[in-house]
Amino acid sequence: MCYDIKTTLETQLKRAKRRNDLQAIDEIMESLIPFTDLPLFHASGFTHPEVLIYVRDTNDFPIVATWGLVPSWVKTTAQMKKHQNFTINARIESIFEKASFKDVANTQRCILFIDGFYEHHHFKGKTFPFYIHKTNNQPMALAGIWNEWLNPENGGRINTFSI
């Protein structure tokens, strides 16, 4: 499972650059990047970094989202923080059955662009991270699901996702 990623500003802008959309590049840099934790060089999903994801509603323009999906039925900030640690990754075998994922699995899909991810190998009590990336160093697209969570305690909204 993917728990640690690397993603840079260049990777986040690659989609807009490929379309030669200078206005989108400027808008992403000015109005979105300041609200993210980018760039990330070895970030754990358990730190719930804020990154850019692409969703159907916004077409080719990303939104800022926090890693760790929060379902709409979560009612408090304390529940949200606890729940996010269990929803970093969604398994295809159970995505349509688990309460956390089944409501959004068919309709709320997203794409996350990364430089690569780390798989950890455990040997003789030590952990060795192996960096997995494309050989040509082009961005990798990861499929995800997302949800906009409305915090009943303060009315705030946050976008969250799971890979």
Side-chain angles (χ1 to χ4, degrees), residues 1-6 37 40 43-51 53 64-70 84-85 87-90 112 114 117 142 145 159-163:
M1 300 297 293
C2 180
Y3 290 110
D4 296 79
I5 61 170
K6 174 185 177 187
D37 295 320
L40 300 170
S44 168
F46 293 104
T47 63
H48 309 293
E50 295 194 1
V51 298
I53 62 170
V64 176
T66 304
W67 193 358
L69 188 119
V70 180
Q84 275 187 306
N85 285 332
T87 57
I88 292 170
N89 290 322
L112 167 71
I114 64 170
F117 62 94
L142 300 180
I145 55 176
N159 297 313
T160 63
F161 72 96
S162 179
I163 295 173

Side-chain angles (χ1 to χ4, degrees), residues 25-90:
I25 293 168
D26 290 343
E27 205 167 326
I28 290 168
M29 288 300 293
E30 291 174 16
S31 62
L32 294 180
I33 295 295
F35 299 100
T36 69
D37 295 320
L38 296 168
L40 300 170
F41 296 103
H42 192 161
S44 168
F46 293 104
T47 63
H48 309 293
E50 295 194 1
V51 298
L52 300 179
I53 62 170
Y54 288 83
V55 302
R56 184 182 347 180
D57 298 343
T58 60
N59 288 328
D60 290 325
F61 197 79
I63 62 173
V64 176
T66 304
W67 193 358
L69 188 119
V70 180
S72 57
W73 44 263
V74 170
K75 299 297 179 203
T76 66
T77 304
Q79 285 179 340
M80 182 264 302
K81 290 181 182 207
K82 179 181 176 187
H83 197 81
Q84 275 187 306
N85 285 332
F86 299 107
T87 57
I88 292 170
N89 290 322

Side-chain angles (χ1 to χ4, degrees), residues 96-131:
F96 297 103
E97 298 164 4
K98 296 244 182 204
S100 297
F101 304 128
K102 68 181 182 179
D103 290 341
V104 296
N106 280 321
T107 58
Q108 299 283 97
R109 296 183 181 173
C110 65
I111 296 175
L112 167 71
F113 291 100
I114 64 170
D115 293 85
F117 62 94
Y118 295 88
E119 284 294 329
H120 295 89
H121 176 69
H122 304 282
F123 183 71
K124 294 186 179 182
K126 293 185 178 181
T127 302
F128 301 92
F130 287 91
Y131 181 57

